[in-house]
Amino acid sequence: MKLPEPLFALINPIMGLLLRSPIHRFWSDSLMLITFTGRNSGKQFTTPVRYVKDGDSILCFTSAENQWWRNLRNGASAQLRVAGESSPYTTSVIENNPSEIKKWLMFYLSQYPQDASYHDIALANDKSLIPEDLERASHEAIVVEAKPA
């Protein structure tokens, strides 16, 4: 089920508090906090996002319509709070590369198929991704990859 966008203005601060709390374990196996500096404002921003791991890389996903990921291009620094631990990371953004994005979307959604709706991807009766939706989403999604600094 896809939550309405305005609800995230309420949910994100609450999730930030929970992911910093001693009870983070209930959520931190799939949610992390990413803290970065705004490229124009110089302000620090923190947002909770779903993540997947691939070796020492941590990947998260968003839509090109969102703005926050633009701060993470070209080796930007970020602080990731994963499983209750904060560490520095160097980030890169995968954009305008549908075949690479499609590969990572399939990896991500194999672990969290319930998130397919956030990328406007429908699931077939057998819970597989609708190929046409996946193809379209691979042109609209953004992958942020973070590696330990």
Side-chain angles (χ1 to χ4, degrees):
M1 179 180 102
K2 183 177 179 179
L3 296 173
E5 283 296 318
L7 207 49
F8 285 102
L10 176 64
I11 292 171
N12 283 352
I14 294 169
M15 285 311 304
L17 289 172
L18 291 172
L19 289 169
R20 287 183 188 96
S21 78
I23 61 170
H24 69 85
R25 286 173 179 71
F26 290 106
W27 301 277
S28 62
D29 63 331
S30 66
L31 294 172
M32 70 174 181
L33 293 175
I34 184 167
T35 301
F36 53 88
T37 302
R39 65 192 186 286
N40 294 325
S41 69
K43 289 193 228 176
Q44 282 216 317
F45 297 94
T46 300
T47 189
V49 291
R50 173 99 65 191
Y51 71 93
V52 293
K53 288 186 173 185
D54 181 55
D56 66 344
S57 292
I58 295 177
L59 299 113
C60 61
F61 303 79
T62 191
S63 166
E65 293 175 356
N66 293 323
Q67 302 289 313
W68 65 268
W69 61 270
R70 293 184 171 126
N71 297 292
L72 300 171
R73 289 176 168 145
N74 304 321
S77 296
Q79 192 78 13
L80 272 56
R81 184 171 187 84
V82 179
E85 298 292 326
S86 291
S87 300
Y89 283 77
T90 301
T91 62
S92 60
V93 172
I94 303 170
E95 58 181 317
N96 302 318
N97 187 341
S99 62
E100 186 75 3
I101 292 169
K102 183 177 181 179
K103 174 185 88 170
W104 288 119
L105 273 174
M106 290 171 56
F107 177 71
Y108 162 58
L109 295 173
S110 71
Q111 295 178 53
Y112 303 105
Q114 68 273 22
D115 285 3
S117 63
Y118 289 100
H119 298 279
D120 295 320
I121 301 172
L123 298 178
N125 289 338
D126 66 356
K127 303 293 186 204
S128 65
L129 305 173
I130 301 293
E132 297 81 15
D133 290 353
L134 178 61
E135 185 61 35
R136 183 198 31 72
S138 70
H139 292 268
E140 298 170 0
I142 299 296
V143 180
V144 176
E145 182 177 17
K147 294 185 181 238

